[in-house]
Amino acid sequence: METPRLEIHIDRIAHNASAVISQCGAQGIRVAAVTKVMQAHPALLRALEGSGCVMLADSRIDNLKRIAEAGLDLPTMLLRAPTPGKAPEAVRWADHTLISSYQTAEALSNAAGMAGVRHKVVMMVDVGDLREGVWPDRAVEEVSRIARLPHLEVAGLGTNLACFGGVIPTREKMEMLVTLRDECRSATGHPLELVSGGNSANLPLLASGEMPAGINNLRIGEAIILGRNVLDRSPWPGTRQDTVELVGGIIELQRKPSVPIGRTGQDAFGNTTHFTDRGLRLRAICDLGRQDAAPDAIEPVDPGIEVLGASSDHLIIDVTDAETPVKVGSEIRFLPSYGGLLSASTSPHVRKMATGRP
Ligand SMILES: *Cc1c(COP(=O)(O)O)cnc(C)c1O
């Protein structure tokens, strides 16, 4: 089979989705499944289709178009505020948009008016991670202004943590969001039903039983797709981690020294190189370079194989201790982490292949 390729195990992702969504459901939380790390690939959409998620969410309008083309009967959410110029496209392809600025809301309202629709927005509040969101002391005022725009419905409030600042979701942060929602509700008279507490990083709080009752939505990508607790990358209970595999083919296999011969300068990417002398090693080159996947974000399935590094087109691996013998033409399997999956999914050089029925 062709390499490099990404094997997407639909049945395994579907299993993870059901597990995570039922954990959330047991505490009154509905899940928007986040598809961006796999560019909303149709195989992922098939895995999510019957999983019980109530919405599909993505940060890119391109990907939302893909979701529409797949013909799934689920509402969509645009996770990243569009530039005002992209508001017409956002209104066309998303049912909800997460926003944090009045200017965005105004552009969305105008675009919705032109299209003859009412667009739903969720006001993001920054409770400390310092990525998107209005500062809490301005939330009531901003929501009140936005609620007066003619073609929008403010569906509720949301927040996002553990992305830029690495801030861990806590009961206090979630209570702050619920309280702000209540204040905005009183100020506007609108129900502001949706309270979207965050992403996969909120699941440990949920599992601890400390999630306040007012939180009724989470936007989950990684915990479903890769089965990870994103606070420490340990396996998330009830999920599997072998949902997607990256496969490369060996194009060279040679015994070589572990330290380069000659005076060394910078490598192909401007880094200074360091090597430990481990003597002669059996080394292989896979047809997987940085154009295909981030080499530090993929882990060989064979525990005896080690990734040494990569240039644009060559992945150098040490196969001296490989449990399965390899030769030129052998396939090597890797499990990607989030960054590895993001890079492989978005690389036009990596063939995507779906396996397993949900
Ligand atoms: C990417 C993203 C998510 C999903 O994050 P995961 O860690 O993959 O669960 C949720 N919300 C927003 C706003 C995002 O950008």
Side-chain angles (χ1 to χ4, degrees):
M1 252 187 293
E2 200 182 311
T3 55
R5 66 174 186 274
L6 193 64
E7 291 186 2
I8 304 164
H9 300 289
I10 297 177
D11 50 335
R12 300 177 190 176
I13 298 174
H15 165 87
N16 286 1
S18 300
V20 171
I21 290 164
S22 64
Q23 291 163 7
C24 291
Q27 297 197 38
I29 290 182
R30 310 214 283 174
V31 173
V34 176
T35 54
K36 67 190 181 203
V37 72
M38 291 181 70
Q39 284 198 314
H41 191 277
L44 172 63
L45 300 181
R46 237 180 306 153
L48 296 172
E49 198 167 11
S51 66
C53 65
V54 296
M55 213 183 277
L56 294 170
D58 205 291
S59 46
R60 305 265 171 174
I61 294 171
D62 289 5
N63 294 348
L64 293 180
K65 274 186 203 169
R66 235 176 152 172
I67 292 172
E69 278 155 16
L72 270 79
D73 197 20
L74 281 169
T76 54
M77 175 182 266
L78 178 59
L79 294 171
R80 187 183 66 179
T83 55
K86 284 239 176 87
E89 277 195 83
V91 164
R92 171 149 186 222
W93 298 105
D95 299 298
H96 297 71
T97 299
L98 304 187
I99 60 163
S100 50
S101 309
Y102 181 76
Q103 287 87 335
T104 315
E106 204 173 28
L108 287 169
S109 178
N110 290 339
M114 299 275 263
V117 297
R118 242 175 115 70
H119 189 69
K120 296 192 181 76
V121 293
V122 177
M123 187 63 165
M124 295 298 276
V125 182
D126 189 339
V127 296
D129 199 53
L130 302 185
R131 204 177 74 175
E132 75 274 40
V134 64
W135 209 246
D137 61 1
R138 309 231 344 116
V140 174
E141 187 187 330
E142 290 288 293
V143 168
S144 302
R145 280 175 84 199
I146 289 168
R148 287 195 291 270
L149 287 165
H151 307 291
L152 295 187
E153 174 187 334
V154 185
L157 264 59
T159 195
N160 195 65
L161 287 160
C163 271
F164 177 71
V167 174
I168 296 173
T170 56
R171 185 172 180 92
E172 293 67 44
K173 303 266 182 211
M174 294 298 108
E175 278 170 347
M176 186 195 273
L177 185 66
V178 176
T179 304
L180 282 171
R181 191 282 303 270
D182 294 344
E183 290 171 16
C184 292
R185 187 184 259 175
S186 313
T188 62
H190 292 280
L192 309 177
E193 205 46 61
L194 189 78
V195 188
S196 189
N199 54 45
S200 294
N202 287 58
L203 290 175
L205 180 65
L206 180 90
S208 73
E210 288 294 305
M211 186 70 82
I215 303 291
N216 56 25
N217 175 279
L218 290 176
R219 311 171 306 269
I220 309 282
E222 183 169 355
I224 289 176
I225 297 170
L226 292 170
R228 295 281 169 191
N229 175 338
V230 301
L231 296 182
D232 60 6
R233 263 49 198 204
S234 61
W236 183 253
T239 66
R240 44 196 296 175
Q241 289 69 49
D242 56 354
T243 47
V244 228
E245 292 177 276
L246 181 66
V247 188
I250 295 186
I251 58 167
E252 180 191 298
L253 181 66
Q254 306 237 351
R255 215 165 280 284
K256 293 187 187 179
S258 32
V259 177
I261 317 290
R263 278 182 61 218
T264 54
Q266 290 181 343
D267 70 8
F269 292 90
N271 302 309
T272 308
T273 57
H274 299 281
F275 295 90
T276 310
D277 193 355
R278 300 167 71 193
L280 276 181
R281 304 289 294 179
L282 186 61
R283 300 152 64 95
I285 300 177
C286 284
D287 61 351
L288 265 179
R290 288 177 190 269
Q291 298 195 74
D292 307 291
D296 50 0
I298 58 174
E299 194 189 330
V301 171
D302 184 327
I305 297 179
E306 191 188 335
V307 174
L308 299 176
S311 54
S312 304
D313 308 291
H314 299 74
L315 181 76
I316 324 292
I317 58 176
D318 186 320
V319 295
T320 316
D321 303 320
E323 286 182 355
T324 314
V326 297
K327 57 183 195 317
V328 170
S330 296
E331 290 191 341
I332 305 292
R333 297 186 160 262
F334 300 86
L335 292 177
S337 63
Y338 192 83
L341 180 56
L342 182 72
S343 52
S345 290
T346 52
S347 169
H349 305 291
V350 177
R351 165 100 185 274
K352 282 82 182 176
M353 256 192 51
T355 71
R357 297 281 131 221

